[in-house]
Amino acid sequence: MNVTIGIALLLGLLIVSRHNYLLFHSLAEFFSIAVAFALFIVVWNSRQFVTNTAFVYIGIAYLFIGSLDLIHTISYKGMGVISETWGANPATQLWIAARYMESISLFLFFAFFKKRFQIYKTIIIYFFISAFILFSIFYWKNFPACFVEETGLTDFKKISEYFICIILFVTLSLILKNRSNFDQKILKFFIASIVLTIFGELAFTFYVSVYGLSNLFGHYLKIISFFLIYSALVRSSLKEPYKILFQDLNFERHCLKKSKDLLDAASRMARIGGWELDIHTRQVTWSEETYRIHEMDMTYKPSLQEAINFFHVRDRERLQLAIQKSLDHGEPYDMEIRFITAKGNQLWTRTICKPQIVNGKTVKLTGVFQDITERKKAEEEHDRLISAIEQVGDVVVITDIDGVIQYTNPAFMEITGFSKKEAWGKTPRFLKSGQHDNHFYKTLWNTILSGEQWTGRIVNKRKDGTLYTGECSISPVNNQDGDIANFVWISRDITKQLEIEHQSQQNQKLESIGSLAGGIAHDFNNILSSVIGFTELALDEVEKDTTIEDSLQEVYAAGKRAKDLVGQILAFARQSEEELKPVQVSSIVKEVLKFMRSSIPTTIEIHQSIESDSLIMGNATRIHQVMMNLCTNAAHAMDEMTGVLEIRLKDVAINGDVSTKTSELKPGDYIQITVSDTGTGIAPEIIGSIFEPYFTTKGPGEGSGMGLAMVHGIIETYDGKITVNSRVGQGTTFTIYLPITGKRHERPPYEQGDLPSGTEKILFVDDEIPIAKMGSQVLERLGYQVTIKTNSIEAVALFKSNPNAFDLVITDMTMPDMTGDRLAIELMKIRQGMPVILCTGYSKKISDKISSEIGIKAFIYKPVVKAELAETVRKVLDEAG
């Protein structure tokens, strides 16, 4: 009869397993758990009657084995007790831990069968072992993985099953060795149970899926082996176990009352009540805690509708629909809805319903009612916090104490390019840029592990390989025990800010250099004024076609070239919108090469091939910047090694061939400038980024990353094109194409010709005596009557004494006591409309527009050549009438 019932039960389980594996698994495990707990109850209540404490020991062991199996069952994927994100691994780990405990306990039971066990010490030992297992799985997470999603059982799980079988085989040998200590029938139960357990463990090693035959077979064998263990232990040394279990009915009642009291206390603490609905009377019965939650007197007997009316009006319809489905179709429900107590307090509640069905019809509804207001408040606070973190623009990362990332907000992906899937579960090492040494990270970790906050800047690497700088703070987060549990890393991307600061510093440097260049240019222009002016005076008097005349012509030509050079310096100093004019590229290239030769190591050879004297429309300073940047980069690529820097210049014709790199250029004549080096070359993966602003391969402090971006911008502005060709280890070649605007015209030597002249009276004011002297002689040779003054105050006094004594005033701009523009204003106060010509070597305070507004008739930059001065003077005098 018992065998028939057992077979029927196993067949029933088989049917259940095919349709609802979770239910099958739960039934199978709960049977084993019930057997384990029953063994403990029987042994514990009989301990005073049992002389052999080994039986008490094995009962205690099965209490904890059953407990692990219970946690295994409720942790099973789909039970809804733990988060689905844990997967099936924790339940599998608990299973293997329980089997280890069972096999080792059986081994110790038979190995020390006649020894006396200390009961309470045994309980403590098993408690700590169980606690250690649970902490290893759920808190420390260092228990070896037993199941991996999509791949199945791990090697550790399979090897453990075999190792457990070995332990059981050894146990089996101990049973046979001590078989004289057991009743033969009981011995058979033991042997059969252990043999079935071994086969069950081996069956689980062939696990394919939950519906697999090996999984079903393994659970069947476990059920049978537990039943055999129970039978063996009940029949051994225990006399009439039912009398032992129920020997004192009054004691049982006392225990039941105590259990009820404990249950009531637990219900009050957890704010959980029960309820029941009688379908026929529609009367609802509440537990004591349910009344307390409703804030109602226990004499109140609510109907179904009255009970529903306590719920919030917006949630009431949803609840009524769920109740109706339970009544009509036997569907359970589990809802979290708002609730209004009898005293008007609004709560959040969880209400659970499980219909009782008889003959296919619902006869009763029973359920649980819990006040979850505090939990909801905590969840809302948590949601608000998460929402804030999700929306901030700063990176927020949470790690465990080992630095393993557990959370990243959306800003993390936006700034680094790494998704949650790519980052979570890893340490932040994948962000390392190589910009910090080990000491930097060691100091950081020592700080936060000591419980202190670390703040500073970290250069990290994005997913695309680019670097960014973060202003960071990393803070430890303590748990309730005061131990560090997590770290929170907050980082703000300040890359753009640093770039702006760097650019501002560069602009300040350029401004300072510009001011210095302007001051130098002013003084140099004064010197050049004397050199060019006196050379022109000498050429007027020297005999033609003589050696002296040739020498003076060379001095004059050099002065003119120096004047052009100073003009370039002044253009840089002004930093204003550049003026485009014909520029001879070849002369700029030669100047750059002279400078490079003196500034780079002699181990680098410079080769040049200049076959063009054409002109382009541009700015000499900008072309100079382009050539300096390319040549400096080429020299840097050959640093600490021998090499060749080669510059070639020639005219080419572009026909618009789409197959060439110059296809974007308009057809026409161009100057082709080629800058080549034999250096390290540029890697293919970065060659496409070299013209981007702030991109640099140089170390900190060695380059801003703006050089090639500036070069590219200048060339594009002049309707040209720049290309690059490079091979790692062989060198790099930059090729520039600029449209030709004309051919070079030789600078004409000084020729004494007919220049405009006159007899008017001129007041010439300049604090530089040589310039005043030179200007006087030039103007007097042109027929003018000239009075010179080297002090602006004296010039005003002279003019004031006789305002009509002069037809024109020529004044320098930068003078002590009174500047030229102020002098002009004072003179025009004395005599309205007085013609004034202003000369300057360099000044930021005055320009053509400003001088015109003051009333100055002409504006001349030093050094002034004789022809320019003669034409300007005559023009101003003629316009003055």
Side-chain angles (χ1 to χ4, degrees):
M1 182 66 180
N2 291 336
V3 174
T4 303
I5 292 173
I7 293 172
L9 289 173
L10 292 177
L11 288 173
L13 285 175
L14 175 62
I15 295 170
V16 171
S17 71
R18 298 298 93 182
H19 294 85
N20 189 333
Y21 176 77
L22 196 61
L23 178 60
F24 162 76
H25 178 265
S26 299
L27 291 172
E29 291 298 330
F30 279 128
F31 174 82
S32 303
I33 294 163
V35 169
F37 287 172
L39 286 176
F40 170 73
I41 292 170
V42 169
V43 171
W44 185 257
N45 284 281
S46 306
R47 65 187 184 281
Q48 64 265 40
F49 305 108
V50 178
T51 57
N52 191 341
T53 57
F55 286 98
V56 182
Y57 157 76
I58 199 65
I60 293 169
Y62 269 93
L63 169 66
F64 288 93
I65 293 165
S67 298
L68 289 179
D69 279 337
L70 176 61
I71 300 172
H72 154 76
T73 303
I74 63 176
S75 300
Y76 206 83
K77 188 175 180 181
M79 292 293 286
V81 176
I82 66 171
S83 173
E84 291 290 328
T85 58
W86 286 79
N89 185 50
T92 313
Q93 291 172 317
L94 286 164
W95 166 273
I96 205 67
R99 303 291 71 76
Y100 265 118
M101 186 179 286
E102 181 183 9
S103 61
I104 294 171
S105 297
L106 287 170
F107 170 79
L108 294 175
F109 172 71
F110 289 106
F112 304 100
F113 182 75
K114 293 185 179 181
K115 301 292 183 182
R116 186 166 186 84
F117 288 83
Q118 296 184 24
I119 296 174
Y120 291 100
K121 185 179 287 186
T122 302
I123 293 173
I124 292 170
I125 291 171
Y126 270 83
F127 173 80
F128 278 103
I129 291 172
S130 300
F132 178 80
I133 291 169
L134 293 175
F135 270 78
S136 297
I137 293 172
F138 293 104
Y139 187 78
W140 299 320
K141 300 178 184 177
N142 57 3
F143 194 97
C146 294
F147 186 90
V148 178
E149 299 292 339
E150 298 180 359
T151 59
L153 300 179
T154 64
D155 291 338
F156 170 78
K157 168 69 164 59
K158 295 177 181 179
I159 292 170
S160 292
E161 299 282 10
Y162 293 126
F163 190 69
I164 289 167
C165 290
I166 292 171
I167 296 172
L168 292 173
F169 270 116
V170 175
T171 303
L172 195 60
S173 67
L174 287 174
I175 294 174
L176 296 174
K177 184 179 178 180
N178 296 287
R179 57 184 177 273
S180 59
N181 294 316
F182 299 95
D183 178 83
Q184 292 301 306
K185 190 173 183 179
I186 302 306
L187 184 65
K188 291 178 182 178
F189 280 121
F190 271 128
I191 294 172
S193 174
I194 292 174
V195 169
L196 290 176
T197 302
I198 291 171
F199 280 105
E201 295 303 314
L202 292 174
F204 283 118
T205 62
F206 296 98
Y207 174 88
V208 176
S209 75
V210 295
Y211 297 102
L213 185 61
S214 62
N215 190 49
L216 178 68
F217 187 64
H219 278 92
Y220 277 169
L221 293 179
K222 183 189 176 187
I223 292 170
I224 297 169
S225 68
F226 262 71
F227 178 77
L228 291 174
I229 287 288
Y230 173 79
S231 300
L233 289 176
V234 169
R235 292 171 182 269
S236 180
S237 295
L238 299 177
K239 304 296 183 180
E240 298 181 322
Y242 285 98
K243 286 186 178 181
I244 294 171
L245 283 174
F246 306 108
Q247 58 184 325
D248 191 344
L249 188 57
N250 290 327
F251 179 73
E252 175 73 14
R253 288 172 180 163
H254 172 74
C255 290
L256 286 173
K257 184 178 183 304
K258 189 174 181 180
S259 296
K260 183 180 181 299
D261 292 340
L262 288 172
L263 182 61
D264 288 342
S267 296
R268 284 194 299 273
M269 287 186 285
R271 298 279 285 168
I272 298 177
W275 62 270
E276 182 178 280
L277 171 66
D278 189 309
I279 292 179
H280 300 294
T281 65
R282 294 281 171 161
Q283 197 71 33
V284 179
T285 304
W286 289 343
S287 69
E288 290 183 25
E289 185 59 26
T290 303
Y291 276 103
R292 279 192 287 269
I293 295 172
H294 281 74
E295 296 182 333
M296 288 293 296
D297 187 87
M298 291 185 64
T299 58
Y300 176 67
K301 303 298 180 185
S303 66
L304 175 61
Q305 190 57 50
E306 289 172 335
I308 291 174
N309 289 339
F310 278 96
F311 291 91
H312 196 285
V313 63
R314 294 184 180 178
D315 297 331
R316 208 172 288 163
E317 184 178 350
R318 187 158 59 95
L319 176 62
Q320 288 176 321
L321 182 61
I323 292 173
Q324 197 60 47
K325 287 183 177 179
S326 296
L327 293 171
D328 296 342
H329 308 292
E331 294 182 12
Y333 64 79
D334 185 344
M335 304 172 64
E336 294 183 357
I337 52 180
R338 289 165 293 180
F339 175 84
I340 310 297
T341 70
K343 295 181 179 180
N345 296 316
Q346 181 170 310
L347 307 176
W348 270 98
T349 61
R350 181 184 182 190
T351 177
I352 302 173
C353 171
K354 183 178 181 182
Q356 293 186 20
I357 300 172
V358 177
N359 298 326
K361 292 184 178 181
T362 302
V363 296
K364 187 187 292 184
L365 298 183
T366 57
V368 174
F369 185 76
Q370 181 181 15
D371 178 3
I372 58 170
T373 306
E374 292 303 318
R375 194 198 83 195
K376 275 292 184 180
K377 287 180 179 178
E379 288 177 355
E380 289 172 0
E381 183 178 347
H382 174 267
D383 291 343
R384 282 194 298 270
L385 178 61
I386 290 297
S387 178
I389 293 174
E390 294 277 315
Q391 294 180 46
V392 295
D394 295 347
V395 169
V396 179
V397 178
I398 300 175
T399 75
D400 64 15
I401 195 170
D402 296 319
V404 177
I405 295 174
Q406 297 177 330
Y407 170 82
T408 57
N409 69 338
F412 176 85
M413 179 177 177
E414 188 176 326
I415 292 173
T416 69
F418 290 99
S419 65
K420 291 180 181 180
K421 186 177 181 181
E422 293 170 313
W424 290 19
K426 297 179 182 177
T427 64
R429 292 190 187 94
F430 63 89
L431 295 172
K432 276 190 174 182
S433 62
Q435 299 293 310
H436 306 291
D437 57 19
N438 290 333
H439 177 71
F440 173 87
Y441 293 107
K442 185 177 180 181
T443 302
L444 186 157
W445 273 103
N446 288 340
T447 301
I448 60 178
L449 287 173
S450 67
E452 300 294 326
Q453 183 187 56
W454 182 92
T455 58
R457 292 180 177 179
I458 302 179
V459 180
N460 281 326
K461 183 169 64 176
R462 295 186 177 93
K463 186 176 180 179
D464 62 8
T466 59
L467 304 183
Y468 74 96
T469 302
E471 190 78 54
C472 306
S473 69
I474 304 175
S475 306
V477 179
N478 297 334
N479 57 21
Q480 293 180 347
D481 298 327
D483 299 324
I484 298 174
N486 297 93
F487 295 112
V488 176
W489 165 32
I490 300 174
S491 174
R492 174 168 294 176
D493 184 1
I494 60 170
T495 309
K496 295 292 184 185
Q497 176 186 331
L498 293 178
E499 289 171 357
I500 293 170
E501 289 176 2
H502 177 78
Q503 188 60 36
S504 176
Q505 291 171 359
Q506 292 297 106
N507 291 340
Q508 289 174 7
K509 288 180 184 178
L510 290 174
E511 186 176 345
S512 299
I513 293 170
S515 298
L516 177 63
I520 294 172
H522 174 267
D523 293 339
F524 193 47
N525 269 334
N526 284 335
I527 297 170
L528 280 178
S529 294
S530 298
V531 172
I532 294 174
F534 284 113
T535 301
E536 286 182 317
L537 291 173
L539 284 168
D540 288 343
E541 297 178 359
V542 74
E543 186 179 347
K544 303 303 177 185
D545 298 326
T546 63
T547 304
I548 295 176
E549 197 260 350
D550 288 340
S551 298
L552 288 173
Q553 287 286 3
E554 289 297 327
V555 173
Y556 178 78
K560 294 283 280 185
R561 286 197 299 273
K563 178 185 176 181
D564 292 342
L565 181 58
V566 173
Q568 293 180 21
I569 297 173
L570 287 175
F572 172 77
R574 293 188 191 100
Q575 290 292 305
S576 59
E577 186 175 347
E578 64 185 56
E579 177 186 359
L580 298 182
K581 58 183 179 180
V583 175
Q584 183 183 338
V585 178
S586 59
S587 61
I588 297 173
V589 170
K590 290 175 182 177
E591 289 176 12
V592 169
L593 291 180
K594 287 179 183 178
F595 176 80
M596 292 301 299
R597 181 65 283 168
S598 62
S599 61
I600 64 175
T602 56
T603 54
I604 298 176
E605 298 179 20
I606 297 179
H607 296 170
Q608 58 177 304
S609 173
I610 299 176
E611 301 175 4
S612 171
D613 58 0
S614 299
L615 305 177
I616 67 161
M617 286 300 291
N619 180 280
T621 302
R622 296 297 190 189
I623 299 300
H624 192 276
Q625 287 177 317
V626 169
M627 296 307 301
M628 281 296 297
N629 187 277
L630 294 178
C631 291
T632 302
N633 284 350
H636 186 274
M638 297 181 287
D639 196 19
E640 300 181 359
M641 59 187 290
T642 59
V644 176
L645 169 61
E646 184 176 6
I647 292 86
R648 297 189 299 275
L649 191 66
K650 66 177 182 179
D651 295 341
V652 295
I654 302 298
N655 56 16
D657 186 356
V658 296
S659 65
T660 68
K661 292 184 177 181
T662 60
S663 58
E664 298 175 8
L665 295 174
K666 297 177 181 178
D669 295 329
Y670 288 79
I671 292 180
Q672 184 188 70
I673 308 168
T674 305
V675 180
S676 303
D677 66 68
T678 57
T680 55
I682 305 171
E685 59 269 20
I686 66 170
I687 198 166
S689 304
I690 61 173
F691 293 118
E692 295 176 3
Y694 305 107
F695 181 86
T696 180
T697 59
K698 299 176 183 177
E702 294 183 9
S704 65
M706 289 299 295
L708 287 177
M710 177 201 69
V711 168
H712 184 269
I714 292 172
I715 300 303
E716 292 286 328
T717 301
Y718 294 164
D719 295 326
K721 184 175 179 63
I722 181 170
T723 64
V724 60
N725 184 35
S726 182
R727 289 188 178 181
V728 176
Q730 296 185 23
T732 303
T733 298
F734 285 91
T735 304
I736 296 172
Y737 298 91
L738 293 170
I740 294 173
T741 189
K743 296 296 181 178
R744 175 187 178 188
H745 301 285
E746 294 294 331
R747 187 187 300 273
Y750 176 80
E751 293 181 3
Q752 184 177 0
D754 294 331
L755 296 175
S757 60
T759 59
E760 288 86 350
K761 296 177 181 180
I762 298 174
L763 175 59
F764 195 97
V765 186
D766 197 304
D767 61 316
E768 295 282 344
I769 295 174
I771 295 176
K773 188 176 177 181
M774 179 272 299
S776 173
Q777 291 183 31
V778 170
L779 291 170
E780 286 175 349
R781 290 190 182 188
L782 292 171
Y784 298 104
Q785 302 174 54
V786 183
T787 300
I788 63 172
K789 284 293 180 183
T790 57
N791 182 282
S792 53
I793 302 297
E794 293 177 0
V796 173
L798 175 63
F799 186 83
K800 193 173 185 181
S801 65
N802 189 0
N804 296 314
F806 301 100
D807 301 300
L808 175 67
V809 176
I810 301 174
T811 178
D812 185 26
M813 174 61 189
T814 307
M815 296 184 295
D817 299 327
M818 184 183 292
T819 58
D821 56 338
R822 293 301 307 168
L823 174 63
I825 292 171
E826 292 299 321
L827 295 180
M828 283 184 274
K829 286 180 182 178
I830 298 169
R831 176 180 160 188
Q832 190 174 3
M834 179 65 197
V836 178
I837 296 175
L838 188 65
C839 300
T840 182
Y842 169 74
S843 176
K844 283 189 174 181
K845 296 181 179 179
I846 198 73
S847 65
D848 292 333
K849 182 179 179 182
I850 295 173
S851 63
S852 177
E853 291 173 354
I854 292 172
I856 295 170
K857 302 304 180 184
F859 188 79
I860 304 176
Y861 280 105
K862 293 180 181 180
V864 184
V865 297
K866 180 179 178 181
E868 183 182 6
L869 182 61
E871 291 170 358
T872 304
V873 168
R874 189 68 262 160
K875 179 182 178 184
V876 171
L877 287 171
D878 290 343
E879 289 176 352

